[in-house]
Coordinates of all heavy atoms in Angstrom, one line a residue:
Chain B
A67 N 17.3 11.7 0.2 CA 17.1 12.0 -1.2 C 18.0 11.1 -2.1 O 17.7 10.5 -3.1 CB 17.4 13.4 -1.5
E68 N 19.3 10.9 -1.6 CA 20.2 10.0 -2.3 C 19.7 8.6 -2.4 O 19.8 8.0 -3.5 CB 21.6 10.1 -1.6 CG 22.6 9.3 -2.4 CD 24.0 9.4 -1.7 OE1 24.1 9.2 -0.5 OE2 25.0 9.6 -2.4
K69 N 19.2 8.0 -1.3 CA 18.8 6.6 -1.4 C 17.6 6.5 -2.4 O 17.4 5.5 -3.1 CB 18.4 6.1 0.0 CG 19.6 5.9 0.9 CD 19.2 4.9 2.0 CE 19.7 5.4 3.3 NZ 19.2 4.7 4.4
I70 N 16.7 7.5 -2.3 CA 15.6 7.5 -3.2 C 16.1 7.5 -4.7 O 15.6 6.8 -5.6 CB 14.6 8.7 -2.9 CG1 14.0 8.5 -1.5 CG2 13.5 8.8 -4.0 CD1 13.3 9.7 -1.0
A71 N 17.1 8.4 -4.9 CA 17.6 8.5 -6.3 C 18.3 7.2 -6.7 O 18.1 6.8 -7.9 CB 18.7 9.6 -6.3
I72 N 19.0 6.5 -5.8 CA 19.6 5.3 -6.2 C 18.6 4.2 -6.6 O 18.7 3.6 -7.6 CB 20.4 4.7 -4.9 CG1 21.6 5.6 -4.7 CG2 20.8 3.3 -5.2 CD1 22.3 5.3 -3.3
N73 N 17.5 4.1 -5.8 CA 16.5 3.2 -6.2 C 15.7 3.6 -7.5 O 15.3 2.7 -8.2 CB 15.5 3.0 -5.0 CG 16.1 2.1 -3.9 OD1 16.0 0.9 -4.0 ND2 16.6 2.8 -2.9
G74 N 15.6 4.9 -7.7 CA 15.0 5.4 -8.9 C 15.8 5.0 -10.1 O 15.3 4.5 -11.1
V75 N 17.1 5.2 -10.0 CA 18.0 4.8 -11.1 C 17.9 3.3 -11.4 O 17.7 2.8 -12.5 CB 19.5 5.1 -10.8 CG1 20.4 4.4 -11.8 CG2 19.7 6.6 -10.8
M76 N 17.9 2.5 -10.3 CA 17.8 1.0 -10.5 C 16.5 0.6 -11.2 O 16.5 -0.3 -11.9 CB 17.9 0.4 -9.1 CG 19.3 0.4 -8.4 SD 19.3 0.0 -6.7 CE 18.7 -1.7 -6.7
A77 N 15.5 1.4 -10.9 CA 14.2 1.0 -11.5 C 14.0 1.4 -12.9 O 13.1 1.0 -13.6 CB 13.0 1.6 -10.6
G78 N 14.9 2.3 -13.4 CA 14.8 2.7 -14.8 C 14.2 4.1 -14.9 O 13.7 4.4 -16.0
C79 N 14.1 4.8 -13.8 CA 13.5 6.2 -13.9 C 14.4 7.2 -14.7 O 15.6 7.1 -14.6 CB 13.3 6.7 -12.5 SG 12.0 5.9 -11.6
R80 N 13.7 8.1 -15.4 CA 14.4 9.2 -15.9 C 14.6 10.2 -14.8 O 13.8 10.2 -13.9 CB 13.6 9.8 -17.1 CG 13.5 9.0 -18.3 CD 12.5 9.5 -19.3 NE 12.9 10.9 -19.7 CZ 13.7 11.1 -20.8 NH1 14.2 10.1 -21.5 NH2 14.0 12.3 -21.1
P81 N 15.7 11.0 -14.9 CA 15.9 12.0 -13.7 C 14.7 12.9 -13.4 O 14.5 13.1 -12.3 CB 17.1 12.8 -14.3 CG 17.8 11.9 -15.2 CD 16.7 11.1 -15.9
E82 N 13.9 13.2 -14.4 CA 12.8 14.1 -14.2 C 11.7 13.5 -13.4 O 10.7 14.2 -13.0 CB 12.3 14.8 -15.5 CG 11.8 13.8 -16.5 CD 12.9 13.5 -17.6 OE1 14.1 13.4 -17.2 OE2 12.6 13.4 -18.8
Y83 N 11.8 12.2 -13.2 CA 10.7 11.5 -12.3 C 11.0 11.8 -10.8 O 10.2 11.5 -10.0 CB 10.7 10.0 -12.6 CG 10.4 9.6 -14.0 CD1 10.6 8.2 -14.3 CD2 9.9 10.4 -14.9 CE1 10.4 7.8 -15.6 CE2 9.7 10.0 -16.3 CZ 9.9 8.6 -16.6 OH 9.7 8.2 -17.8
M84 N 12.2 12.3 -10.6 CA 12.7 12.4 -9.2 C 11.7 13.1 -8.2 O 11.4 12.6 -7.1 CB 14.1 13.0 -9.1 CG 14.7 13.1 -7.8 SD 15.1 11.5 -7.1 CE 15.8 12.0 -5.5
P85 N 11.1 14.3 -8.7 CA 10.2 15.0 -7.8 C 9.0 14.1 -7.4 O 8.4 14.2 -6.3 CB 9.8 16.2 -8.6 CG 10.9 16.4 -9.5 CD 11.4 15.0 -9.9
V86 N 8.5 13.2 -8.3 CA 7.4 12.4 -8.0 C 7.8 11.4 -6.9 O 7.1 11.1 -5.9 CB 6.9 11.6 -9.2 CG1 5.7 10.7 -8.9 CG2 6.5 12.6 -10.3
L87 N 9.0 10.8 -7.1 CA 9.5 9.9 -6.1 C 9.6 10.5 -4.7 O 9.2 9.9 -3.7 CB 10.9 9.3 -6.5 CG 11.0 8.6 -7.8 CD1 12.4 8.0 -8.0 CD2 9.9 7.5 -7.9
I88 N 10.1 11.7 -4.7 CA 10.3 12.4 -3.4 C 8.9 12.6 -2.7 O 8.8 12.3 -1.5 CB 11.0 13.8 -3.6 CG1 12.4 13.6 -4.1 CG2 10.9 14.7 -2.3 CD1 13.5 13.5 -3.1
A89 N 8.0 13.1 -3.5 CA 6.6 13.4 -2.9 C 6.0 12.1 -2.5 O 5.3 12.0 -1.4 CB 5.8 14.1 -3.9
A90 N 6.2 11.0 -3.3 CA 5.5 9.7 -2.9 C 6.2 9.2 -1.6 O 5.5 8.6 -0.8 CB 5.7 8.8 -4.1
V91 N 7.5 9.3 -1.5 CA 8.1 8.8 -0.3 C 7.7 9.6 1.0 O 7.5 9.1 2.0 CB 9.7 8.8 -0.4 CG1 10.4 8.6 0.9 CG2 10.1 7.8 -1.4
E92 N 7.5 10.9 0.8 CA 6.9 11.7 1.9 C 5.6 11.1 2.3 O 5.3 11.0 3.5 CB 6.7 13.2 1.4 CG 7.9 14.0 1.4 CD 7.7 15.4 0.9 OE1 6.6 15.7 0.2 OE2 8.5 16.3 1.2
A93 N 4.8 10.7 1.3 CA 3.5 10.1 1.6 C 3.6 8.8 2.3 O 2.9 8.5 3.3 CB 2.6 10.0 0.4
L94 N 4.6 8.0 1.9 CA 4.8 6.7 2.5 C 5.2 6.8 4.0 O 4.9 6.0 4.8 CB 6.0 5.9 1.8 CG 5.9 5.5 0.4 CD1 7.1 4.7 0.0 CD2 4.6 4.6 0.2
G95 N 5.8 8.0 4.3 CA 6.2 8.2 5.7 C 5.1 8.6 6.6 O 5.3 8.7 7.8
E96 N 4.0 9.0 6.1 CA 2.9 9.5 6.9 C 2.2 8.3 7.7 O 1.9 7.3 7.1 CB 1.8 10.2 6.1 CG 2.3 11.5 5.5 CD 2.2 12.7 6.4 OE1 1.4 12.6 7.4 OE2 2.9 13.7 6.2
E97 N 2.1 8.5 9.0 CA 1.6 7.4 9.8 C 0.2 6.9 9.3 O -0.1 5.8 9.4 CB 1.5 7.9 11.3 CG 1.5 6.8 12.2 CD 1.8 7.2 13.6 OE1 2.6 8.2 13.8 OE2 1.3 6.7 14.6
R98 N -0.7 7.9 8.9 CA -2.0 7.5 8.5 C -2.1 6.6 7.3 O -3.1 5.8 7.1 CB -2.9 8.7 8.3 CG -2.4 9.6 7.2 CD -3.2 11.0 7.3 NE -4.0 11.1 6.1 CZ -5.3 11.2 6.1 NH1 -6.0 11.2 7.2 NH2 -6.0 11.4 5.0
L99 N -1.0 6.6 6.5 CA -1.0 5.6 5.4 C -0.8 4.2 5.9 O -1.3 3.2 5.3 CB 0.1 6.0 4.4 CG 0.1 5.1 3.2 CD1 -1.0 5.4 2.2 CD2 1.4 5.2 2.4
N100 N -0.1 4.1 7.0 CA 0.2 2.7 7.6 C 1.0 1.8 6.7 O 0.6 0.7 6.3 CB -1.2 2.1 8.0 CG -1.0 0.8 8.8 OD1 0.1 0.5 9.2 ND2 -2.1 0.1 9.0
L101 N 2.2 2.3 6.4 CA 3.1 1.6 5.5 C 3.5 0.2 6.2 O 3.7 -0.8 5.5 CB 4.3 2.4 5.2 CG 5.3 1.7 4.2 CD1 4.7 1.5 2.8 CD2 6.6 2.5 4.1
H102 N 3.5 0.3 7.5 CA 3.8 -0.9 8.3 C 2.8 -2.0 7.9 O 3.1 -3.2 7.6 CB 3.8 -0.6 9.8 CG 3.9 -1.8 10.6 ND1 2.8 -2.5 11.1 CD2 5.0 -2.5 11.0 CE1 3.2 -3.6 11.8 NE2 4.5 -3.6 11.7
G103 N 1.5 -1.6 7.9 CA 0.5 -2.6 7.5 C 0.6 -3.0 6.1 O 0.3 -4.2 5.7
I104 N 0.9 -2.1 5.2 CA 0.9 -2.4 3.8 C 2.0 -3.4 3.5 O 1.8 -4.4 2.7 CB 1.2 -1.1 2.9 CG1 0.0 -0.1 3.1 CG2 1.5 -1.4 1.5 CD1 0.2 1.2 2.4
L105 N 3.2 -3.2 4.1 CA 4.3 -4.1 3.8 C 4.4 -5.3 4.7 O 4.9 -6.4 4.3 CB 5.6 -3.3 4.0 CG 5.8 -2.1 3.0 CD1 7.2 -1.5 3.3 CD2 5.7 -2.6 1.6
G106 N 4.0 -5.2 5.9 CA 4.2 -6.3 6.9 C 3.0 -7.2 7.1 O 3.1 -8.0 8.0
S107 N 2.0 -7.0 6.4 CA 0.8 -7.8 6.5 C 0.7 -8.7 5.3 O 1.1 -8.4 4.2 CB -0.4 -6.9 6.6 OG -1.6 -7.5 6.1
T108 N 0.0 -9.8 5.5 CA -0.2 -10.7 4.3 C -1.3 -10.2 3.4 O -1.5 -10.8 2.3 CB -0.6 -12.2 4.8 OG1 -1.7 -12.1 5.7 CG2 0.6 -12.8 5.5
H109 N -2.0 -9.2 3.8 CA -3.1 -8.6 3.0 C -2.5 -8.2 1.6 O -1.4 -7.6 1.6 CB -3.5 -7.3 3.7 CG -4.9 -6.8 3.5 ND1 -5.8 -6.8 4.4 CD2 -5.5 -6.4 2.3 CE1 -7.0 -6.4 3.9 NE2 -6.8 -6.1 2.7
N110 N -3.1 -8.6 0.6 CA -2.6 -8.3 -0.8 C -2.7 -6.9 -1.1 O -3.6 -6.4 -1.7 CB -3.4 -9.1 -1.8 CG -3.0 -10.6 -1.9 OD1 -1.8 -10.9 -1.9 ND2 -3.9 -11.4 -2.0
C111 N -1.7 -6.1 -0.7 CA -1.8 -4.7 -1.1 C -0.4 -4.1 -1.2 O 0.6 -4.6 -0.7 CB -2.6 -3.9 -0.2 SG -2.0 -3.7 1.5
S112 N -0.3 -3.0 -1.9 CA 1.0 -2.3 -2.0 C 0.6 -0.8 -2.3 O -0.5 -0.5 -2.6 CB 1.8 -2.9 -3.1 OG 1.2 -2.8 -4.4
P113 N 1.7 0.1 -2.2 CA 1.4 1.5 -2.5 C 1.0 1.8 -3.9 O 1.7 1.4 -4.8 CB 2.7 2.2 -2.1 CG 3.5 1.2 -1.4 CD 3.1 -0.1 -1.9
L114 N -0.2 2.3 -4.1 CA -0.7 2.7 -5.5 C -0.6 4.3 -5.6 O -1.2 4.9 -4.7 CB -2.1 2.3 -5.7 CG -2.8 2.9 -6.9 CD1 -2.2 2.4 -8.2 CD2 -4.3 2.5 -7.0
L115 N 0.2 4.7 -6.6 CA 0.3 6.2 -6.7 C -0.7 6.7 -7.8 O -0.7 6.1 -8.9 CB 1.7 6.5 -7.2 CG 2.9 6.6 -6.2 CD1 2.9 5.4 -5.3 CD2 4.2 6.8 -6.9
I116 N -1.4 7.8 -7.4 CA -2.2 8.4 -8.4 C -1.7 9.9 -8.5 O -1.8 10.6 -7.6 CB -3.7 8.4 -8.0 CG1 -4.2 6.9 -7.9 CG2 -4.6 9.1 -9.1 CD1 -5.6 6.7 -7.6
V117 N -1.3 10.2 -9.7 CA -0.7 11.5 -9.9 C -1.7 12.5 -10.6 O -2.5 12.0 -11.4 CB 0.6 11.5 -10.9 CG1 1.1 12.8 -11.2 CG2 1.6 10.6 -10.2
N118 N -1.8 13.7 -10.1 CA -2.7 14.7 -10.6 C -1.9 15.9 -11.0 O -0.8 16.2 -10.5 CB -3.8 15.1 -9.5 CG -4.9 14.1 -9.5 OD1 -5.0 13.3 -8.6 ND2 -5.9 14.2 -10.4
G119 N -2.6 16.8 -11.8 CA -2.0 18.0 -12.2 C -1.1 18.0 -13.4 O -0.9 16.9 -14.0
P120 N -0.5 19.1 -13.8 CA 0.2 19.2 -15.1 C 1.4 18.2 -15.2 O 1.7 17.8 -16.3 CB 0.8 20.6 -15.1 CG 0.1 21.3 -14.0 CD -0.5 20.4 -13.1
I121 N 2.0 17.8 -14.1 CA 3.2 17.0 -14.2 C 2.8 15.6 -14.9 O 3.7 15.0 -15.5 CB 3.9 16.8 -12.9 CG1 5.4 16.3 -13.1 CG2 3.2 15.8 -12.0 CD1 6.2 16.4 -11.9
A122 N 1.6 15.2 -14.7 CA 1.2 13.9 -15.3 C 1.4 13.8 -16.8 O 2.0 12.9 -17.3 CB -0.3 13.6 -14.9
Q123 N 1.1 14.9 -17.5 CA 1.3 15.0 -18.9 C 2.7 15.3 -19.2 O 3.3 14.7 -20.2 CB 0.4 16.0 -19.5 CG -1.1 15.6 -19.4 CD -1.9 16.0 -20.6 OE1 -1.4 16.4 -21.6 NE2 -3.3 15.9 -20.5
E124 N 3.4 16.1 -18.4 CA 4.8 16.4 -18.7 C 5.6 15.2 -18.7 O 6.5 15.0 -19.5 CB 5.3 17.4 -17.7 CG 4.7 18.8 -17.8 CD 5.0 19.7 -16.5 OE1 5.9 19.3 -15.7 OE2 4.2 20.6 -16.3
L125 N 5.3 14.3 -17.7 CA 6.1 13.1 -17.6 C 5.5 11.9 -18.4 O 6.1 10.8 -18.4 CB 6.3 12.7 -16.1 CG 6.9 13.7 -15.2 CD1 7.1 13.1 -13.8 CD2 8.3 14.1 -15.7
D126 N 4.4 12.1 -18.9 CA 3.7 11.1 -19.7 C 3.3 9.9 -18.9 O 3.6 8.7 -19.2 CB 4.6 10.6 -20.9 CG 3.8 10.4 -22.1 OD1 2.6 10.6 -22.1 OD2 4.5 10.0 -23.2
I127 N 2.8 10.2 -17.7 CA 2.3 9.1 -16.8 C 1.0 8.6 -17.4 O 0.1 9.4 -17.8 CB 2.2 9.6 -15.4 CG1 3.5 10.0 -14.8 CG2 1.6 8.5 -14.5 CD1 3.5 10.7 -13.5
S128 N 0.8 7.3 -17.4 CA -0.4 6.7 -18.0 C -1.6 7.1 -17.3 O -1.9 6.9 -16.2 CB -0.2 5.2 -18.0 OG -1.3 4.6 -18.5
Y129 N -2.5 7.8 -18.1 CA -3.8 8.2 -17.6 C -5.0 7.7 -18.4 O -6.1 7.7 -18.0 CB -3.9 9.7 -17.4 CG -3.8 10.5 -18.7 CD1 -5.0 10.8 -19.4 CD2 -2.6 10.8 -19.3 CE1 -4.9 11.5 -20.6 CE2 -2.5 11.5 -20.5 CZ -3.7 11.9 -21.1 OH -3.6 12.5 -22.3
G130 N -4.7 7.1 -19.6 CA -5.8 6.5 -20.3 C -5.8 6.5 -21.8 O -5.8 5.4 -22.3
P131 N -5.7 7.6 -22.4 CA -5.9 7.6 -23.9 C -5.0 6.6 -24.6 O -4.0 6.2 -24.0 CB -5.6 9.0 -24.3 CG -5.9 9.8 -23.1 CD -5.5 9.0 -22.0
P132 N -5.3 6.3 -25.8 CA -4.6 5.2 -26.4 C -3.1 5.3 -26.2 O -2.5 6.3 -26.4 CB -4.9 5.4 -27.9 CG -6.3 6.0 -27.9 CD -6.3 6.9 -26.7
L133 N -2.5 4.2 -25.9 CA -1.2 4.2 -25.4 C -0.2 3.7 -26.5 O -0.5 2.7 -27.1 CB -1.0 3.2 -24.2 CG -1.8 3.7 -23.0 CD1 -2.1 2.5 -22.1 CD2 -1.1 4.8 -22.2
T134 N 0.9 4.4 -26.7 CA 2.0 3.9 -27.4 C 2.9 3.2 -26.4 O 2.8 3.5 -25.2 CB 2.7 5.0 -28.2 OG1 3.1 6.0 -27.2 CG2 1.8 5.6 -29.2
P135 N 3.7 2.3 -26.8 CA 4.5 1.6 -25.8 C 5.3 2.5 -24.9 O 5.3 2.2 -23.7 CB 5.5 0.7 -26.7 CG 4.7 0.5 -28.0 CD 3.9 1.8 -28.2
N136 N 5.9 3.5 -25.4 CA 6.7 4.3 -24.5 C 5.9 5.1 -23.5 O 6.4 5.7 -22.5 CB 7.7 5.2 -25.2 CG 7.0 6.3 -26.0 OD1 5.8 6.3 -26.0 ND2 7.8 7.1 -26.7
R137 N 4.6 5.2 -23.7 CA 3.7 5.9 -22.7 C 3.7 5.1 -21.4 O 3.2 5.6 -20.4 CB 2.3 6.1 -23.2 CG 2.3 7.1 -24.3 CD 0.9 7.6 -24.5 NE 0.8 8.9 -23.8 CZ 0.1 9.9 -24.4 NH1 -0.4 9.8 -25.5 NH2 0.0 11.0 -23.7
W138 N 4.1 3.9 -21.4 CA 4.1 3.1 -20.1 C 5.3 3.4 -19.3 O 5.4 3.0 -18.2 CB 4.0 1.6 -20.4 CG 2.7 1.2 -21.0 CD1 2.4 1.0 -22.3 CD2 1.5 0.9 -20.3 NE1 1.1 0.6 -22.5 CE2 0.5 0.5 -21.2 CE3 1.2 1.0 -18.9 CZ2 -0.7 0.2 -20.9 CZ3 -0.1 0.6 -18.6 CH2 -1.0 0.3 -19.5
R139 N 6.3 4.1 -19.9 CA 7.5 4.2 -19.3 C 7.5 4.8 -17.9 O 8.0 4.2 -16.9 CB 8.5 5.0 -20.1 CG 9.9 5.1 -19.5 CD 10.8 5.8 -20.5 NE 12.2 5.7 -19.9 CZ 13.3 6.1 -20.6 NH1 13.1 6.6 -21.8 NH2 14.4 6.1 -20.0
A140 N 6.9 6.0 -17.8 CA 6.8 6.6 -16.4 C 6.1 5.8 -15.4 O 6.5 5.7 -14.3 CB 6.2 8.0 -16.6
S141 N 4.9 5.2 -15.9 CA 4.1 4.4 -14.9 C 4.9 3.2 -14.5 O 5.0 2.9 -13.3 CB 2.9 3.9 -15.6 OG 2.0 5.0 -15.7
A142 N 5.6 2.6 -15.4 CA 6.3 1.4 -15.1 C 7.5 1.7 -14.2 O 7.7 1.0 -13.1 CB 6.8 0.7 -16.3
A143 N 8.3 2.7 -14.5 CA 9.5 3.0 -13.8 C 9.2 3.6 -12.4 O 9.9 3.2 -11.4 CB 10.4 3.9 -14.6
I144 N 8.2 4.5 -12.3 CA 7.9 5.1 -11.0 C 7.3 4.0 -10.1 O 7.7 3.9 -8.9 CB 7.0 6.3 -11.1 CG1 7.7 7.4 -11.9 CG2 6.6 6.8 -9.8 CD1 6.8 8.6 -12.3
G145 N 6.4 3.2 -10.7 CA 5.8 2.1 -9.9 C 6.9 1.1 -9.4 O 6.9 0.7 -8.2
R146 N 7.8 0.8 -10.3 CA 8.9 -0.1 -9.9 C 9.8 0.5 -8.8 O 10.3 -0.1 -7.9 CB 9.7 -0.5 -11.1 CG 10.7 -1.6 -10.8 CD 11.5 -2.0 -12.0 NE 12.4 -3.1 -11.6 CZ 13.6 -3.3 -12.2 NH1 14.0 -2.5 -13.1 NH2 14.3 -4.3 -11.8
A147 N 10.1 1.8 -9.0 CA 10.9 2.5 -8.0 C 10.3 2.4 -6.6 O 11.0 2.2 -5.6 CB 11.2 4.0 -8.4
M148 N 9.0 2.6 -6.5 CA 8.3 2.5 -5.2 C 8.6 1.1 -4.6 O 8.8 0.9 -3.4 CB 6.8 2.7 -5.4 CG 6.4 4.1 -5.5 SD 6.9 5.1 -4.1 CE 8.1 6.1 -4.8
M149 N 8.5 0.1 -5.5 CA 8.7 -1.3 -5.0 C 10.1 -1.4 -4.5 O 10.4 -2.0 -3.4 CB 8.4 -2.3 -6.1 CG 8.7 -3.7 -5.7 SD 7.9 -4.9 -6.7 CE 8.2 -4.3 -8.3
L150 N 11.1 -0.9 -5.2 CA 12.5 -1.1 -4.8 C 12.8 -0.3 -3.5 O 13.5 -0.7 -2.6 CB 13.5 -0.6 -5.9 CG 13.4 -1.5 -7.2 CD1 14.4 -1.0 -8.2 CD2 13.7 -3.0 -6.8
I151 N 12.1 0.9 -3.4 CA 12.3 1.7 -2.2 C 11.7 0.9 -1.0 O 12.3 0.9 0.1 CB 11.6 3.1 -2.4 CG1 12.5 4.0 -3.3 CG2 11.3 3.8 -1.0 CD1 11.8 5.2 -3.8
T152 N 10.5 0.3 -1.2 CA 10.0 -0.5 -0.1 C 10.8 -1.7 0.2 O 10.9 -2.1 1.4 CB 8.5 -0.9 -0.3 OG1 8.4 -1.7 -1.5 CG2 7.6 0.3 -0.5
I153 N 11.5 -2.2 -0.8 CA 12.4 -3.4 -0.5 C 13.6 -2.9 0.3 O 14.0 -3.4 1.3 CB 12.8 -4.1 -1.8 CG1 11.6 -4.8 -2.4 CG2 13.9 -5.1 -1.5 CD1 11.9 -5.4 -3.8
N154 N 14.3 -1.9 -0.3 CA 15.6 -1.5 0.1 C 15.7 -0.5 1.3 O 16.7 -0.5 2.0 CB 16.5 -1.0 -1.1 CG 16.7 -2.1 -2.1 OD1 16.9 -3.3 -1.7 ND2 16.6 -1.8 -3.4

Side-chain angles (χ1 to χ4, degrees):
Chain B
E68 184 180 44
K69 285 199 224 170
I70 294 167
I72 291 169
N73 284 279
V75 168
M76 288 167 63
C79 287
R80 292 170 61 87
E82 57 265 37
Y83 303 166
M84 185 64 182
V86 181
L87 301 185
I88 295 271
V91 169
E92 283 178 338
L94 293 184
E96 291 278 339
E97 204 164 325
R98 58 193 247 117
L99 183 71
N100 188 8
L101 185 63
H102 173 266
I104 293 172
L105 297 181
S107 149
T108 54
H109 209 113
N110 280 318
C111 69
S112 60
L114 168 65
L115 276 52
I116 300 181
V117 176
N118 279 100
I121 201 167
Q123 294 217 9
E124 289 163 22
L125 300 184
D126 220 359
I127 296 171
S128 178
Y129 63 94
L133 297 158
T134 54
N136 65 0
R137 290 198 98 138
W138 291 99
R139 182 171 186 176
S141 287
I144 295 170
R146 188 181 183 211
M148 280 302 111
M149 176 159 46
L150 295 180
I151 285 165
T152 59
I153 291 171
N154 293 323

